[in-house]
Amino acid sequence: MNSPATFSRRHFLTSAASLTGAAGLLNDVQAATAESKPFSFVFFTDPHVQPEKGAVDGVKMALAKVNALEQKPDFVITGGDLIMDALEVGIDRVETQWKLWDECLKTLEAPSYHTVGNHDVAGWSPKAMIKPGESAYGKALFADRYGQGRTYRSFDHGGWHFIILDSIGLDKATNDYMGWIDDDQLAWLQADLEKTGKQTPIILVTHIPFYSVWHQVILGPKINIGGKALVGNVHDFRKMLGQYNLKLVLSGHGHISERIQFDKVVYLQGGAVCGMWWKGPVHGNPEGFLQVECHPDGTFTDRYHGYGWKAQA
């Protein structure tokens, strides 16, 4: 029997290696267990914060509802149009709105990821007050504040892969925005999908929807909805997406709650935190946000939460 004084160095190193290996195995088991559990997140789109109409109180009220959810979300993804508008106003108004959004966001208890919306882009309008060449022009303020210098990104969580796209393109002929995914972003998207592989379930987020039917329902099946309502080049990369395990595409922009399923993909518009720009509900859908629960088998469930907002007179 070895005494402490005669305990061999070889035995010590072997034991230490065993403990290290056991710790590593435990970490792997814990990680696998974490990925085998359901989790939820919140899709919080179109808050359109502004100084008027009680919008700051409304956004804070909605975020308080997120904080109080019975099933705590692991994180929040915003769906764009965080501020009322940067397209057609001056820099002072733009900065005021972003400061109000920051004030609201500080009340959120969960981590957050952010999608750029058309109203978050400065100066992309024929009526623009912020002009090309100015430091605030375009997506710079959004990218610096909320995108780590970029307007699109991806991340993994709980065995699922999340992709946040920038669907705001610029029509150079009119200096107006349009729904578009540019070539550089598409190259990045292809590389990101290849890295993710074909088995991992994927959720994709875009401010401007890929598909929608509410215009046809309200205005008639032959309505020409133009280039602002939908992503105009989605057909160019639809087949690329179809090669992977895409489960859900989340969007905002239309301020309605809409569900489309085609083949194995569900397309959800997530309503709007602001409703009809803080004037009331949209087609009977209350001001609110979407909660999605993801399961280890690649399925999900979703639920829309109103938060009890009443528009000011």
Side-chain angles (χ1 to χ4, degrees):
M1 179 177 180
N2 289 330
S3 68
T6 59
F7 192 84
S8 72
R9 183 173 182 274
R10 178 181 295 177
H11 186 87
F12 174 79
L13 292 175
T14 302
S15 299
S18 298
L19 289 172
T20 302
L25 179 60
L26 178 60
N27 289 337
D28 290 343
V29 170
Q30 289 174 337
T33 301
E35 289 193 354
S36 67
K37 293 181 179 180
F39 67 90
S40 80
F41 70 95
V42 161
F43 182 58
F44 192 94
T45 193
D46 293 87
H48 282 281
V49 73
Q50 62 175 348
E52 298 81 16
K53 300 184 183 297
V56 172
D57 291 338
V59 174
K60 288 182 177 179
M61 185 175 175
L63 291 172
K65 175 77 171 183
V66 173
N67 292 337
L69 288 172
E70 183 177 354
Q71 183 184 16
K72 296 293 184 183
D74 285 18
F75 54 88
V76 170
I77 299 178
T78 63
D81 284 0
L82 308 181
I83 62 176
M84 176 55 77
D85 183 63
L87 292 168
E88 299 179 357
V89 299
I91 185 60
D92 290 345
R93 173 75 177 185
V94 171
E95 290 181 344
T96 294
Q97 292 173 91
W98 282 125
K99 288 177 182 177
L100 291 176
W101 171 249
D102 286 340
E103 175 188 328
C104 293
L105 192 61
K106 288 177 182 178
T107 68
L108 176 64
E109 296 173 0
S112 56
Y113 304 89
H114 303 285
T115 309
V116 65
N118 53 292
H119 286 283
D120 303 322
V121 182
W124 285 15
S125 167
K127 301 178 182 179
M129 296 178 65
I130 298 175
K131 303 298 182 180
E134 297 184 41
S135 60
Y137 180 77
K139 303 170 183 177
L141 290 179
F142 174 91
D144 291 344
R145 284 172 174 263
Y146 309 110
Q148 298 176 339
R150 303 183 67 178
T151 55
Y152 51 90
R153 62 181 301 185
S154 67
F155 63 94
D156 297 301
H157 187 89
W160 288 65
H161 187 64
F162 291 80
I163 300 172
I164 299 176
L165 293 182
D166 173 356
S167 56
I168 315 304
L170 175 64
D171 185 338
K172 295 181 180 179
T174 63
N175 196 41
D176 212 342
Y177 81 88
M178 61 181 180
W180 199 265
I181 310 295
D182 63 47
D183 291 343
D184 287 346
Q185 189 176 178
L186 286 177
W188 169 87
L189 176 62
Q190 183 171 6
D192 185 76
L193 290 169
E194 290 173 354
K195 182 179 178 181
T196 300
K198 297 187 177 181
Q199 301 303 316
T200 302
I202 296 170
I203 292 177
L204 188 150
V205 183
T206 167
H207 177 67
I208 297 180
F210 287 176
Y211 309 105
S212 180
V213 299
W214 75 266
H215 304 86
Q216 291 88 344
V217 172
I218 301 301
L219 301 173
K222 296 182 180 180
I223 184 68
N224 181 356
I225 60 177
K228 292 184 174 183
L230 301 176
V231 173
N233 62 330
V234 66
H235 195 68
D236 296 341
F237 58 90
R238 179 184 65 84
K239 291 183 179 179
M240 177 176 67
L241 293 176
Q243 298 174 28
Y244 296 88
N245 193 17
L246 180 62
K247 296 290 187 178
L248 174 62
V249 177
L250 292 168
S251 64
H253 196 51
H255 291 216
I256 61 166
S257 181
E258 179 185 66
R259 183 185 190 94
I260 299 172
Q261 181 165 356
F262 185 82
D263 198 5
K264 298 178 181 179
V265 183
V266 175
Y267 301 85
L268 289 180
Q269 280 199 60
V273 173
C274 75
M276 186 77 74
W277 296 280
W278 301 107
K279 298 176 184 178
V282 179
H283 299 302
N285 193 71
E287 297 88 345
F289 55 85
L290 195 67
Q291 185 173 23
V292 180
E293 181 177 272
C294 299
H295 302 274
D297 62 357
T299 62
F300 68 90
T301 56
D302 58 90
R303 178 185 176 188
Y304 190 80
H305 294 275
Y307 61 95
W309 177 254
K310 302 296 182 185
Q312 296 182 355

